[in-house]
Amino acid sequence: ASMPEAQGSEVTPVMDLPSGPMRLVINGRFLGRRVSGVERYALGITREALARWPDARLVVPRGTPVPSALQHAEVQEVGRFTGPVWEQFELPRALRRGELLLSPANVGPLSVVDQVVVVHDLAVWKAPKGFHPLFVAWYRHLLPRLVDRCLGVITVSNTMAAEMEAHFGKAPGSMPVVPPVPWALPMGEVPVDLPEEPFLLALGAHDPRKGIEQLVNWYRSGIPRPFGLVLVKGGGDVFRTTGGPQVAGVRILERVTDAELLALYRAAVALAHPSTYEGFGLPVLEAMGVGCPVIARDLPVLRENFGDAFVTVDPGDPASWDRAWMRVRDPQERDRLQAAGKAAAANFGPERTRRALEAALRTWLH
């Protein structure tokens, strides 16, 4: 989460490339980071990019673990550093003439003009309290310059495209949307220590903008609840981690595997997602895809992606939470939510992502 220190290094901008089709290179820095929604998105879009352009090259810092889903790719390990220093000063040296860099995880090297970067949201402006101050300062410095300098910017939803075009002063429709790929469900069963009582599940307990504090305040107010809360922290090092509530009936999990998360989705009464700001809402997509009803704040981006397939809640109003809980417990309403959620999730998939990515990059790649 710190800013690069190698300010004295000289980097030659990669520009003036020959006309005609370019070869795709993917910025694989995200593979060495702790997994949050951005990294899950980046892995999915990288997999689809490699399927569409099999001659693409994946460039990573030395020693970066490459998941099995990408092990068929041509992987190039370069440099001596990691993090922002690697991305800003060592990655550019690995690029050759006639190559287009795809940076799928919010930022890329400022010196590389021939680049398309995926910017997921404007959280460092809209919800900065969830991040370390140095991280906020670095992103606020870097992102406007990167958006102005690189060939193209992709984002993850129409709501976010409109918001970013206005923020960065770009023409409407200039930022194409490439939605995420729903996760590939883990194979097989794993033993998971699940609560015996019914429970609500919430992700992102490390990040204040996820609204978990309001969920817990409701849970511990009034009469004792006949159900529990399971809060998953996770997230990367850039977030300001809170200590977490010490409340009877609340279980906090630091991190879970995909198999454990799947088991939690399937066992939970619902996913509680009272986030104040989202670029897409990937946990909502994951939960709906496996039949877990969702309780969420009524954000425009969630309406865009999921319609009325979730129960809305005013996180600051305990009565609103009570009504939402009753709805997800009602058998008839639960059946409706599960069917609507699966239908909404079915709108997303590898083929849709690949088509959108191909359309976004067709100017430079054949």
Side-chain angles (χ1 to χ4, degrees):
S2 60
M3 295 173 62
E5 297 175 357
Q7 300 293 334
S9 300
E10 291 195 10
V11 179
T12 302
V14 179
M15 58 181 66
D16 298 327
L17 297 183
S19 60
M22 304 169 75
R23 184 188 183 191
L24 184 64
V25 178
I26 301 170
N27 176 356
R29 178 194 161 198
F30 72 91
L31 292 171
R33 305 193 315 205
R34 290 182 179 177
V35 176
S36 68
V38 169
E39 287 72 34
R40 293 174 83 85
Y41 173 96
L43 178 61
I45 196 176
T46 296
R47 189 170 62 242
E48 297 312 310
L50 291 169
R52 172 58 184 85
W53 296 283
D55 65 335
R57 200 165 88 254
L58 178 63
V59 181
V60 299
R62 292 192 187 280
T64 298
V66 177
S68 58
L70 304 180
Q71 286 181 353
H72 63 287
E74 178 186 341
V75 179
Q76 181 184 4
E77 295 188 359
V78 301
R80 298 183 295 116
F81 296 98
T82 59
V85 171
W86 178 86
E87 188 169 59
Q88 295 300 319
F89 299 102
E90 295 188 315
L91 171 59
R93 298 192 185 103
L95 302 178
R96 307 164 190 151
R97 297 182 68 82
E99 292 184 328
L100 175 72
L101 180 66
L102 174 64
S103 292
N106 269 331
V107 293
L110 187 57
S111 65
V112 178
V113 174
D114 293 279
Q115 175 180 196
V116 174
V117 61
V118 182
V119 181
H120 292 244
D121 55 46
L122 298 175
V124 294
W125 283 277
K126 302 292 186 178
K129 292 183 179 179
F131 303 94
H132 289 303
L134 276 177
F135 178 85
V136 172
W138 171 233
Y139 264 46
R140 286 184 176 181
H141 169 82
L142 179 63
L143 280 178
R145 292 163 176 80
L146 192 60
V147 168
D148 283 341
R149 187 171 174 78
C150 67
L151 290 180
V153 176
I154 289 170
T155 191
V156 297
S157 65
N158 291 318
T159 301
M160 199 49 49
E163 184 175 313
M164 292 201 304
E165 285 160 1
H167 180 85
F168 293 118
K170 300 299 181 181
S174 61
M175 295 185 178
V177 173
V178 178
V181 182
W183 64 340
L185 296 182
M187 301 297 292
E189 298 290 331
V190 296
V192 180
D193 182 20
L194 296 171
E196 295 183 1
E197 72 277 9
F199 67 93
L200 284 175
L201 173 67
L203 310 183
H206 59 286
D207 186 351
R209 73 180 159 113
K210 299 300 182 181
I212 306 302
E213 183 177 357
Q214 292 173 313
L215 169 64
V216 173
N217 287 342
W218 162 69
Y219 179 79
R220 66 185 180 185
S221 66
I223 61 174
R225 308 289 181 182
F227 59 91
L229 292 182
V230 175
L231 311 180
V232 179
K233 293 180 75 172
D237 294 330
V238 300
F239 296 103
R240 284 178 183 248
T241 301
T242 58
Q246 301 298 319
V247 179
V250 177
R251 179 188 297 189
I252 301 176
L253 304 178
E254 289 294 328
R255 285 181 179 81
V256 296
T257 65
D258 282 359
E260 291 168 337
L261 181 58
L262 176 60
L264 289 167
Y265 280 142
R266 286 176 169 167
V269 175
L271 172 72
H273 191 73
S275 179
T276 61
Y277 183 78
E278 292 291 335
F280 180 89
L282 192 55
V284 175
L285 175 61
E286 293 175 346
M288 287 183 176
V290 296
C292 179
V294 174
I295 300 171
R297 190 186 297 260
D298 195 3
L299 298 179
V301 71
L302 298 185
R303 285 293 184 188
E304 174 198 332
N305 292 321
F306 309 111
D308 64 351
F310 61 100
V311 176
T312 61
V313 66
D314 176 357
D317 179 7
S320 179
W321 280 110
D322 290 335
R323 291 192 296 270
W325 170 254
M326 295 300 294
R327 286 186 63 184
V328 297
R329 291 289 285 172
D330 176 78
Q332 190 171 10
E333 178 67 357
R334 185 174 184 82
D335 287 345
R336 185 196 75 81
L337 289 168
Q338 288 178 318
K342 288 184 176 180
N347 289 324
F348 300 92
E351 184 178 351
R352 177 177 175 180
T353 298
R354 196 181 305 179
R355 287 200 311 267
L357 183 62
E358 184 174 13
L361 301 182
R362 68 160 56 105
T363 300
W364 308 284
L365 304 176
H366 286 183

